Amino acid sequence: MNDVLLDAIDLRILRALQENARLTTKELAARVNLSTTPVFERLKRLEKDGWIKKYVAVLDAEKLGRGFTVFCSVKLKQMSRQVARDFVSIIRDIPQVAECYNISGEYDYLLKIQSPDMKYYNEFIINVLGNIDAIGSVLSSFVMNEIKNTHAVYL
């Protein structure tokens, strides 16, 4: 990152963009009570300095036939820098894995898998994760109801 701290206006810009990333510079300026030029300059700085990683559309997984969400805890057979690097490289290329976290505790990684149904997930475990030699065990937790999913960072 960098040593520049964000001020109150930067934070208001970031909050507004988390609510709606499609705001025009003019709309964003109105929300933070500045003219468009300083908002445009701030926005470019926030992007350049990495405060804003990218802009995305949040899709409806249910409507797209991927509403069966599973959190899959993965324990590797052994942990070394190279084994972890190889595992992460493989996981990054698996499209069904929406998120992957290296975690502490009994398991090494937590994967968020988006699937159409239980049968598809079972095939995924057998045919995709089952082909990764480094995996020692998995524990699957099935989402029964999504309570909160903001996609936002608390500011």
Side-chain angles (χ1 to χ4, degrees):
M1 205 50 64
N2 57 39
D3 295 333
V4 177
L5 296 177
L6 300 177
D7 65 17
I9 294 170
D10 291 332
L11 291 173
R12 288 199 324 253
I13 289 170
L14 293 175
R15 283 188 201 104
L17 288 173
Q18 283 192 129
E19 290 175 21
N20 182 358
R22 293 188 65 176
L23 291 172
T24 65
T25 305
K26 184 178 179 181
E27 292 168 329
L28 195 53
R31 289 203 184 185
V32 300
N33 299 318
L34 278 181
S35 62
T36 57
T37 300
V39 168
F40 179 79
E41 290 169 357
R42 283 172 178 266
L43 194 53
K44 290 300 163 202
R45 177 181 47 82
L46 291 167
E47 292 168 351
K48 181 179 72 67
D49 291 349
W51 297 100
I52 298 171
K53 288 185 172 185
K54 63 182 174 178
Y55 297 92
V56 300
V58 178
L59 306 180
D60 187 320
E62 192 72 37
K63 287 183 178 181
L64 293 166
R66 296 289 185 262
F68 186 74
T69 303
V70 183
F71 287 95
C72 179
S73 301
V74 174
K75 184 176 191 128
L76 301 181
K77 290 178 186 173
Q78 68 175 29
M79 181 56 86
S80 72
R81 181 170 290 150
Q82 190 59 48
V83 169
R85 195 176 292 139
D86 292 346
F87 175 77
V88 167
S89 177
I90 291 167
I91 290 300
R92 283 188 173 135
D93 289 335
I94 300 174
Q96 296 91 335
V97 177
E99 299 172 33
C100 175
Y101 303 95
N102 182 213
I103 58 173
S104 65
E106 188 175 343
Y107 289 85
D108 301 310
Y109 294 91
L110 180 65
L111 312 178
K112 180 181 176 184
I113 313 294
Q114 295 181 297
S115 166
D117 54 36
M118 177 70 82
K119 183 176 183 191
Y120 182 96
Y121 179 71
N122 184 52
E123 293 294 320
F124 173 80
I125 288 292
I126 293 167
N127 297 317
V128 179
L129 292 186
N131 286 325
I132 302 174
D133 291 333
I135 295 178
S137 64
V138 298
L139 174 69
S140 301
S141 299
F142 306 101
V143 173
M144 297 185 326
N145 189 19
E146 184 177 276
I147 308 304
K148 182 178 180 180
N149 187 346
T150 66
H151 304 283
V153 175
Y154 175 72
L155 298 174

